Amino acid sequence: YWLHVPKAGKTLAVALVLLPGACSPEAVLNFSQALQEGDTTIKDDIRCTFALFVSQESCPGIAPSLLSSIDCSPERSSLHAGGNPYDRHLACEFCNSGIGGLSTVHPGIDDCYETEVKGHGAIMLRQPEQRLMSAISDNNHSWPLHQLGRLPESSKDFAEVVSGCTVKMLTRSGQSFLYGHEHTVCGSPENVTDAEVEVALQRLNEFVFVGLHEYWEESMCLLHAQFGGDCSPLEFEHFDARVTADGTPRVHLYDTSELEGFKDEYDGALYAEAQRLFALRLQEYNVSKASCEPCFRNANITHVWTLPLSPEDYSAAMFVDGTAVPAPMT
C-alpha cells in the first residue's frame, strides 16, 4: 500500500509497480514501454500511464483500493474513440477519478489501516517546509478551497492551514484527488491534535518501507535491498518533481522565507522519526556505496555518495532537514 503524500515523490509509484510480484509481466512491460517511448500524450502525464496499464487485474500485488477497477486500456475504453488526444486525456481523468488512480489519490488511511496498510505500507516523506513550498508552487496543492471558499492570503496562511498533512493522512479517513481543492485530507482545516501525532508516529513505524525525498537515490537502493528486483532508470526520473513545465531543472531547495518563520511542528516530528527509521533500515539491510553500485549502474546514473562508507556509521542526524542539496544525478 503506497501512501502518496503530496509533493513527496510520485515516482515512488513507478518503483513499486516494477517490484517483483507487484504486477503481471505484461503490465510491467507495457507500463515501462509507455514511459520510455516519449509519446507526449502518455509520458508527459504519468497519471495517464498508470490509468492505462495499472489496474486491480494487472497488478494483484498492489492494494486494490488504490487501483482502478475499470479497464482503461486504449483498446477497451470508448473514450479513446478515434484516437483523439483529448479523448485520451478524458480517459485518464476518468480512470484517475473517484474509482481510484494510483498516482493521483492522496487518501486518509484510518479506515483501511488494519486491513490494507499495517505491515504493508510504503511511504516517501519530505522535509515539511520544503513540501509546503512545493505545494504552494503547484497551484496551492491540497488547499481546501471548497471548505474555506477562498484562496490562501499568503504562503504563511497556506502553511498554517495545510500543516500536518502527513499526520492527517496517517490518522484520518477520506479521499483526495488531483489538487485536492474540492476534497482533501492533507489540507483539512481541522487542526491536528497531539494524540494524532502519537498515532501517526506509531503507524509510521509499522510501514515496511520509509524513504526520504531528499535522499532519493539511497531510498531506491534501500527499496531494492528490501524487496529485490533490479533498479531501473525509470525509478530515478523525477517526472514532475525536478523539472519545470519548459523542461528546465528546478532548484532543489525552495526559499522558505515566504513562510515568515512558520514551522510545521506536526509533520516535523514525523519527519524526524522518518530520518531515524531510514538510518536504521539502511543499517539493517547493509546499504552502502558498494552495495548500491550495481543499482546505480543498472539505472545508468552516477551518484555522488555523501554518506559514510560503513552503514554502521549512519545516524538520523546525517539526514539534515532539507539544508543539504541532494547530490546531482547525471
Side-chain angles (χ1 to χ4, degrees):
Y1 190 104
W2 173 46
L3 182 58
H4 183 190
V5 179
K7 316 313 300 176
K10 186 185 299 181
T11 313
L12 177 58
V14 175
L16 295 178
V17 167
L18 299 180
L19 282 179
C23 298
S24 69
E26 180 181 8
V28 170
L29 177 62
N30 291 335
F31 178 79
S32 300
Q33 286 180 342
L35 292 178
Q36 294 167 344
E37 283 173 355
D39 181 342
T40 56
T41 59
I42 294 181
K43 185 172 182 179
D44 289 352
D45 188 348
I46 192 174
R47 295 175 299 160
C48 186
T49 313
F50 281 107
L52 296 178
F53 302 111
V54 180
S55 66
Q56 292 178 10
E57 181 179 358
S58 64
C59 295
I62 295 177
S65 64
L66 291 176
L67 301 178
S68 169
S69 59
I70 293 179
D71 188 341
C72 298
S73 64
E75 295 79 12
R76 297 289 296 277
S77 175
S78 61
L79 291 173
H80 286 283
N84 188 310
Y86 183 65
D87 291 334
R88 179 190 291 272
H89 175 73
L90 286 178
C92 294
E93 292 301 311
F94 176 65
C95 292
N96 276 310
S97 62
I99 57 173
L102 181 62
S103 68
T104 60
V105 293
H106 306 287
I109 61 171
D110 187 56
D111 58 348
C112 67
Y113 181 74
E114 294 292 334
T115 57
E116 288 195 74
V117 185
K118 187 175 182 179
H120 302 282
I123 190 172
M124 189 75 72
L125 280 82
R126 186 173 185 175
Q127 197 280 331
E129 287 72 53
Q130 289 293 312
R131 198 206 68 77
L132 285 166
M133 290 302 302
S134 180
I136 291 168
S137 73
D138 188 16
N139 197 29
N140 292 317
H141 198 295
S142 302
W143 175 258
L145 181 62
H146 180 73
Q147 291 146 290
L148 297 184
R150 64 174 180 85
L151 293 172
E153 297 174 358
S154 64
S155 294
K156 183 180 181 182
D157 181 34
F158 177 94
E160 289 174 340
V161 172
V162 181
S163 65
C165 164
T166 313
V167 171
K168 296 170 190 174
M169 294 177 69
L170 283 164
T171 59
R172 300 179 185 180
S173 300
Q175 291 293 336
S176 177
F177 306 102
L178 301 177
Y179 289 102
H181 294 161
E182 292 189 11
H183 303 284
T184 177
V185 178
C186 166
S188 168
E190 182 181 345
N191 291 334
V192 172
T193 67
D194 291 340
E196 286 180 317
V197 173
E198 290 303 313
V199 171
L201 289 169
Q202 175 188 336
R203 290 182 172 177
L204 184 66
N205 275 267
E206 295 170 337
F207 271 62
V208 294
F209 175 76
V210 176
L212 297 181
H213 180 276
E214 289 77 12
Y215 290 86
W216 191 273
E217 295 77 16
E218 291 83 355
S219 295
M220 291 300 100
C221 184
L222 173 62
L223 181 73
H224 288 284
Q226 290 188 242
F227 303 107
D230 295 327
C231 294
S232 165
L234 296 173
E235 300 165 2
F236 296 85
E237 291 188 19
H238 294 242
F239 290 90
D240 58 3
R242 291 188 178 179
V243 294
T244 60
D246 63 3
T248 57
R250 259 191 219 281
V251 176
H252 288 304
L253 295 179
Y254 289 91
D255 179 359
T256 59
S257 62
E258 292 181 22
L259 301 180
E260 303 175 49
F262 177 85
K263 297 291 184 182
D264 187 342
E265 296 181 0
Y266 307 121
D267 274 5
L270 202 64
Y271 187 76
E273 181 64 4
Q275 292 172 301
R276 187 186 72 83
L277 291 172
F278 188 62
L280 287 176
R281 290 178 183 173
L282 289 176
Q283 292 174 335
E284 179 182 355
Y285 290 92
N286 198 32
V287 174
S288 65
K289 178 181 180 181
S291 73
C292 289
E293 283 179 354
C295 166
F296 299 152
R297 186 167 56 249
N298 286 337
N300 196 31
I301 67 166
T302 300
H303 177 59
V304 180
W305 193 263
T306 59
L307 299 176
L309 295 181
S310 172
E312 295 178 356
D313 296 327
Y314 298 161
S315 69
M318 292 177 179
F319 306 106
V320 185
D321 291 353
T323 59
V325 176
M329 295 185 294
T330 59

